[in-house]
Amino acid sequence: MFETEVAVVGGGAAGLSLAHRLTGHVPGLRTPSVVLVDAPPGPLRPPRRTWCFWDAGRGRFDAALTASWQHLRVRPPEGEPIEGDLAPLRYKMIRSADFEALVGRDLAHSPNVRRLEATVETVEEVRGGARLRLRGTDGTAQVLSARWVFDSRPLGSLPAARTTLLQHFHGWFVRTARPVFDPATVDLMDFRTPQPADGLSFGYVLPTGPREALVEYTEFSPGVLTNSGYRAAVRHYAHEVLGLGEARVLATETGVIPMTDAPMPRRTGASVFRIGAAGGATRPSTGYTFAGLQRQTRAVAAALRRGHEPVPPPAHSARSRAMDAVLLRALASGRIDGPALFCGLFGQVPMARLLRFLDGRTRLREDLAIGLRTPIGPMLRSALELPGLPRRPFD
C-alpha cells in the first residue's frame, strides 16, 4: 500500500489537465502530493482524439496547438455561405498526442506528481479518504490510499434522461494533390451533406495548410452508423461535396459523444468525484468538452492548493443546461429543422457572441436576444413539454 493526497484516475484530457494544474509549487499555496493512474495500453486507454474549443488570448496549452483560426464559415444546404470573424476569439485545435506529450514533459519534471500505469479495479470509501485497488501491468495487485479521488474514466452507462441524442463522427486527415483548402478559415458546419431521416448531419473542415486538413462527417441522431456507413459518408463529403480530387488519407478518427439532459453527478462519495465528460463537462447542445473540463480542473486545483473541499463545480450554468434541454427536445422530436436553426443563428448573431453563448459565457439579456432568433413556437412547446417527460435509461 502507498499513499497520496490526490489520486487522479485516467490519462485523458481531464485527468492530464488536473494533474498538470497541480504540478510544482505556487508561492503561498499548498503543494499536494498527486498520483496520476494511467490505464495500460489497450482498450481502457483513451483513443486518439482531436479537441477543439474557442478562446481569447494565449491559453495554458497553446504550445500543443495544431492550428488556430479567427475566421469561421457555415454553409447552408443551398445558397451562399455565412462567414465571419471571431475576434477577439480564436478557434483552436489540439490533437491528443501533442497534448499528452506537452503535459507528459511537465509531469516528468514535477516534484509532487507521480504517474502510475495500472488498471483501477475498485474505488472504496474509507474513513478520511478512499482506497483504490489496482492491477499493475505485470498482474500484481496494488493498493493506493488517497484523501481525494478524481475519476475521469468514461461512464459505463448514461444516467436516465428525458432526451439523449448522439453526436457521432468519422474524419479523415487528408493531404490533397493540389491546394484546395483556405488555411485561414474553418468550415464549422457544412449542411450540404445528405440529411438523415432522424436528426441532422454536417461536414466539418479544419485546414492546417493549403493541402492538409481534417475532413469530418458528423451526425446528431439517436443511433450510430456502421463502419462502412461512416466511410461512405466521409468519402461522399470529401469527393462529391468538397471536390477534393486526388487525396491521401493520413489518419482517421471516429467518436461518439452523448448529447443528453441527464444530470451527471460530480460527487460519488465523501472523497470521490467525477471530472471531465463523466462529470458533466460536455455541453449537451454542442458536444464540446475541452473548455468545460478546463473550468472544472482549474477550480479543483485552486481548491486543493487552498486547502478547501475540492468539489468540482458544474462546467455549465443551470440556465445553459435548461436551454440545452429545450433544444435537444426540439431536435429529437423533429419540431425544428436543425440546419435551418443553426444557419439562422449564425446568419443573425455576430459569430463571437454566438460562440460565447454556446460556451455559456453570455448574460441573460444576450441569451434572451439569441433565443428570439430561434423558432419560438416549437421551442416553447418543447419547453412546456419537458416537465412532464419521464427520465429513461438510454438503450
Side-chain angles (χ1 to χ4, degrees), residues 3 5 41 65 106 113 139:
E3 296 184 353
E5 184 173 351
L65 291 180
D106 290 345
V113 178

Side-chain angles (χ1 to χ4, degrees), residues 103-126:
V103 174
R105 287 193 295 269
D106 290 345
L107 295 185
H109 295 96
S110 173
N112 63 308
V113 178
R114 173 186 176 186
R115 298 188 76 166
L116 177 64
E117 197 169 274
T119 301
V120 177
E121 297 185 332
T122 61
V123 179
E124 306 165 357
E125 287 278 343
V126 296

Side-chain angles (χ1 to χ4, degrees), residues 74-82 190-193 339 343:
V74 172
R75 293 185 181 272
E78 296 179 349
E80 294 299 312
I82 303 158
D190 184 346
F191 291 109
R192 295 177 296 172
T193 54
C343 289

Side-chain angles (χ1 to χ4, degrees), residues 100 129 227:
E100 291 164 11
N227 289 337

Side-chain angles (χ1 to χ4, degrees), residues 19 37 46 54 203 312 334 348 358 369:
V37 186
W54 43 90
Q348 298 177 70
L358 294 176

Side-chain angles (χ1 to χ4, degrees), residues 162-163 260-261 284-285 319-331 382-383 386 391:
R162 295 168 297 192
T163 310
T260 175
D261 68 354
S285 61
R319 187 169 78 245
S320 294
R321 297 195 303 273
M323 291 187 295
D324 286 353
V326 174
L327 175 60
L328 289 177
R329 186 61 193 167
L331 286 172
S382 298
L386 279 174
R391 295 187 180 273

Side-chain angles (χ1 to χ4, degrees), residues 361-384:
R361 297 302 187 92
T362 44
R363 298 184 176 90
L364 175 59
R365 59 180 177 81
E366 294 175 298
D367 293 348
L368 292 174
I370 292 172
L372 291 174
R373 288 168 171 79
T374 65
I376 295 176
M379 298 293 272
L380 182 58
R381 181 179 172 189
S382 298
L384 294 174

